[in-house]
Amino acid sequence: MCPRKPNLEPQGRARQIGAGDPAALLRQVAQQDPAALRALYELTSPRLLGVIRRIVPNEADSCDVLQDVYIRVWHSARQYSGAGSAWGWLIVMARHLAMDRRKQCQRRHEVPLPELDALWAESSSDDGVWAHSIQQCLERLRGEPRNAILLSYVYGYSHGELALHLGRPLGTVKAWLRRSLTELKLCLES
């Protein structure tokens, strides 16, 4: 488990700020409020760590990525416009930083791809990460296109890695991903 961050402000103040609303906390962090960063960390770190660990399974590396996320949040919270989901903004940031770390780790040693059947079973049972509607839409996808989506967007594998692992041409993998994302979008909009 990643170490808890030191208390930057009295606990009472950290609890008052934003009261569970990441968007409000991000606005406070944009004004360089350390108590808001603490409250944001307490609210969001478990979920972000889950996203990161799917991509970077090594505990030490995933904790480093989590720390990098909050350093980046501190320096770039002003870039959050409030137009979209604060959770989405944080998850995208965590995912990108985790993918960067994973690429660094792969240069040092080979990271095996997870077994696809186990991956689907895990994603089906993890209610904390997979919303019910997304799960239903994913179930509509079948076979290799579904596996490609899961490996790419949950575990952060590149198109080239997918093509190599699945033994398919790069163009085929890209087409699966494009069509599957379109299907998912249409399903979620209905």
Side-chain angles (χ1 to χ4, degrees):
M1 188 68 181
C2 297
R4 299 295 279 170
K5 298 297 178 203
N7 196 1
L8 300 173
E9 290 281 326
Q11 285 291 341
R13 173 146 164 73
R15 286 193 186 110
Q16 292 172 0
I17 300 171
D21 179 13
L25 291 169
L26 278 171
R27 286 190 291 276
Q28 291 293 323
V29 171
Q31 300 193 7
Q32 302 295 285
D33 184 342
L37 182 64
R38 171 73 174 180
L40 184 68
Y41 179 87
E42 289 174 358
L43 175 67
T44 60
S45 62
R47 185 170 181 188
L48 293 181
L49 185 59
V51 169
I52 293 165
R53 283 216 172 124
R54 288 180 180 275
I55 298 169
V56 182
N58 178 284
E59 185 174 350
D61 287 337
S62 62
C63 288
D64 287 347
V65 171
L66 185 66
Q67 180 180 351
D68 291 345
V69 168
Y70 289 99
I71 290 170
R72 174 120 359 133
V73 165
W74 180 255
H75 292 290
S76 64
R78 288 186 184 120
Q79 294 175 1
Y80 173 67
S81 67
S85 161
W87 274 110
W89 190 76
L90 291 167
I91 288 171
V92 166
M93 183 183 300
R95 184 176 178 273
H96 285 294
L97 289 171
M99 289 171 58
D100 289 346
R101 176 60 62 99
R102 185 158 172 263
K103 288 175 187 173
Q104 291 172 354
C105 292
Q106 284 179 327
R107 286 185 207 120
R108 289 182 284 180
H109 52 76
E110 184 64 30
V111 177
L113 288 167
E115 290 296 322
L116 295 177
D117 291 336
L119 173 61
W120 177 245
E122 177 185 331
S123 70
S124 299
S125 65
D126 190 357
D127 295 333
V129 177
W130 296 88
H132 180 68
S133 58
I134 293 173
Q135 185 63 36
Q136 286 179 328
C137 292
L138 279 170
E139 287 174 0
R140 291 183 184 181
L141 300 176
R142 296 288 177 225
E144 290 179 306
R146 181 188 63 218
N147 292 335
I149 285 285
L150 291 171
L151 288 170
S152 180
Y153 289 94
V154 176
Y155 287 88
Y157 289 93
S158 71
H159 295 165
E161 290 170 325
L162 290 173
L164 183 66
H165 179 72
L166 298 173
R168 300 293 186 162
L170 181 60
T172 300
V173 170
K174 287 181 178 182
W176 284 344
L177 292 171
R178 187 175 53 253
R179 282 193 304 266
S180 296
L181 286 175
T182 301
E183 287 180 41
L184 288 173
K185 180 181 178 191
L186 292 173
C187 177
L188 290 170
E189 289 175 347
S190 62

